[in-house]
Structures are given as structure tokens and as C-alpha cells.
């Protein structure tokens, strides 16, 4: 069965600092991996996805994630945090079916 | 930009009552989904729907749940007799096609509180 684990339910960074949100996956087949963001009172929005084309995936708003098969990881990074990045971030995996399997989410706080 | 909308944003109901959660998917999308998130837990897949039929459903989606596309625009989730443990945020999503190649667009959610 597929699953994802997000380490850290809350992450706090200063504005301008590196953002690192961790995600590890478990999958018996080559996975599709996703990062979604949820701003207050809004739906989940796709940040980026990995579909086996390239291990470093660039997404919207300056975020990127690197697929590391040896570590079964798909961590999300951004070199410099902005106040507007404060939100909940969800990692998800799919096994080529319709359903997405999500992690528990990480709430990112950005301090001035 | 097109978006998925959901109504109501918050629904409070008593245990045993029926509730209908409504969603308007993006107009040219053909695949529809419901997910839920119990407070503090993972977002969980409930059901996918295509061509007026359920494509896939999870173990959570038992006989108390049903989905319907009653007209050309709405997609509904009905819970026949709500239980306390149905309290959660329910997200609707839609996509142009099936499978992970196609982005699922999510609505803002309906918070269901069962008392």
C-alpha cells in the first residue's frame, strides 16, 4: 500500500530563510508525487508534481522538490521564504489510479 | 480562472440526520472526487466519479454515503444518517482526465460538524 509521511506538523522560518518541508513516501510501484498548498479558506492548490521525467521538479511560487529514490523522499524547498508562503502544505502520492494519498500536512509559519 | 466551488462552507447537523454537500466542478472537467479530512488527520480519498458512475471508492465510503451528479453542473455527496465520526472537512475536486497526469483541482471545502 502506498503512503506518505510528513515530518513536522509545524515549521517556522524567518522571512528570507530557507524553507524545507519533509516528505517520505512508501510505494510498491514507481510513484507519482505531489505537493499541494492550502491557503486559509481556500482549496488545495497544486504546487508541483513528479511524474518520473526529471528528479528535480520546479513548481509555482519559487518552490521545488527533488525526488530521491534511494531515500524514498520528496522534500519541498524554497531558497527564501516570503510572508505570503504561510500556509498548510500537503505531500501526496498516487499509484497511477485516480486517488491521491495525502500526508497529514505541515503548517508553515513565516516570521518577519 | 475557473475554480471548484462548494456549499455550504460550514454545516452543522445532528447525529442521525441526512446531509447533502454540494460542489460545482470546473465546467469542462469530466472526473469528480470527494476527499475528507478529520481534524488533525490525513486528507483521505472517498470516491471518484465519471460518466455518472463511481470509478473507485475507499473503505470509508460505505452504504451511508452516496454521490450524484443531478444536473450538468452540480456534484453532490450525501450522508444518509450522520455519525459523530463523520465530522470533518470535505473537499470536492475535479479533473479533465483520469489518473495522476491530470491535475485535480480542489474546492475550499465544507466543514461538517455532527453534534
Amino acid at each position: 500500500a502506498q503512503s506518505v509521511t510528513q515530518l513536522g506538523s509545524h515549521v517556522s522560518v524567518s522571512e528570507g530563510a530557507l524553507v524545507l518541508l519533509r516528505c517520505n513516501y512508501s510505494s510498491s510501484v514507481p510513484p507519482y508525487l505531489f505537493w499541494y498548498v492550502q491557503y486559509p479558506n481556500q482549496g488545495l492548490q497544486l504546487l508541483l508534481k513528479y511524474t518520473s521525467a526529471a528528479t528535480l521538479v520546479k513548481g509555482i511560487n519559487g518552490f521545488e522538490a527533488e525526488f530521491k529514490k534511494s531515500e524514498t523522499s520528496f522534500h519541498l524547498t524554497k531558497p527564501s521564504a516570503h510572508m505570503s508562503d504561510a500556509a498548510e502544505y500537503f505531500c501526496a502520492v498516487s499509484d497511477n489510479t485516480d486517488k491521491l494519498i495525502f500526508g497529514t500536512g505541515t503548517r508553515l509559519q513565516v516570521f518577519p | 480562472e475557473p475554480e471548484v466551488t462548494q456549499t455550504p462552507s460550514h454545516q452543522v447537523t445532528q447525529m442521525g440526520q441526512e446531509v447533502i454537500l454540494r460542489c460545482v466542478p470546473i465546467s469542462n472537467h469530466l472526473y469528480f472526487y470527494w476527499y475528507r479530512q478529520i481534524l488533525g488527520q490525513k486528507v483521505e480519498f472517498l470516491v471518484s466519479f465519471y460518466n455518472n458512475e463511481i470509478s473507485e471508492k475507499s473503505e470509508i465510503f460505505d452504504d451511508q454515503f452516496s454521490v450524484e451528479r443531478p444536473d450538468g453542473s452540480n456534484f453532490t455527496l450525501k450522508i444518509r444518517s450522520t455519525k459523530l465520526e463523520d465530522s470533518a472537512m470535505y473537499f470536492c475536486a475535479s479533473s479533465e482526465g483520469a489518473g495522476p497526469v491530470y491535475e485535480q483541482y480542489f474546492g475550499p471545502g465544507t466543514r461538517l460538524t455532527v453534534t
Side-chain angles (χ1 to χ4, degrees), chain B residues 68-112:
Chain B
E68 189 180 30
R69 189 154 163 80
D71 53 43
S73 59
N74 288 284
F75 178 52
T76 62
L77 174 70
K78 182 194 292 187
I79 309 175
R80 288 192 183 82
S81 178
T82 51
K83 305 172 192 154
L84 293 176
E85 53 265 37
D86 293 327
S87 294
M89 181 73 90
Y90 288 80
F91 294 104
C92 173
S94 69
S95 64
E96 287 182 83
V101 174
Y102 293 93
E103 180 178 348
Q104 293 186 21
Y105 291 81
F106 284 78
T110 292
R111 180 166 298 284
L112 176 65

Side-chain angles (χ1 to χ4, degrees), chain A residues 3-5 32 34 36 38 41-46 49 51 88 90 94-104, chain B residues 31 33 35 37 40-45 48 55-56 89 91 97-109:
Chain A
S3 65
V4 290
T5 302
Y32 291 84
F34 307 81
Y36 279 83
Q38 185 181 29
N41 301 315
Q42 295 186 30
L44 285 79
Q45 179 184 3
L46 182 66
K49 66 179 179 184
T51 57
E88 184 108 24
F90 295 92
S94 172
D95 62 358
N96 204 27
T97 64
D98 291 344
K99 67 183 180 192
L100 296 171
I101 299 162
F102 286 89
T104 49
Chain B
Y31 295 80
Y33 315 86
Y35 292 81
Q37 185 182 29
Q41 298 185 25
K42 300 182 177 187
V43 176
E44 301 171 292
F45 169 81
S48 59
S55 310
E56 187 174 356
M89 181 73 90
F91 294 104
V101 174
Y102 293 93
E103 180 178 348
Q104 293 186 21
Y105 291 81
F106 284 78

Side-chain angles (χ1 to χ4, degrees), chain A residues 7-54:
Chain A
L7 298 175
S9 59
H10 289 83
V11 170
S12 297
V13 300
S14 299
E15 193 172 20
L18 172 72
V19 175
L20 171 61
L21 305 182
R22 298 178 188 274
C23 174
N24 288 88
Y25 71 90
S26 172
S27 178
S28 56
V29 299
Y32 291 84
L33 294 159
F34 307 81
W35 275 99
Y36 279 83
V37 61
Q38 185 181 29
Y39 299 104
N41 301 315
Q42 295 186 30
L44 285 79
Q45 179 184 3
L46 182 66
L47 270 179
L48 49 82
K49 66 179 179 184
Y50 167 76
T51 57
S52 78

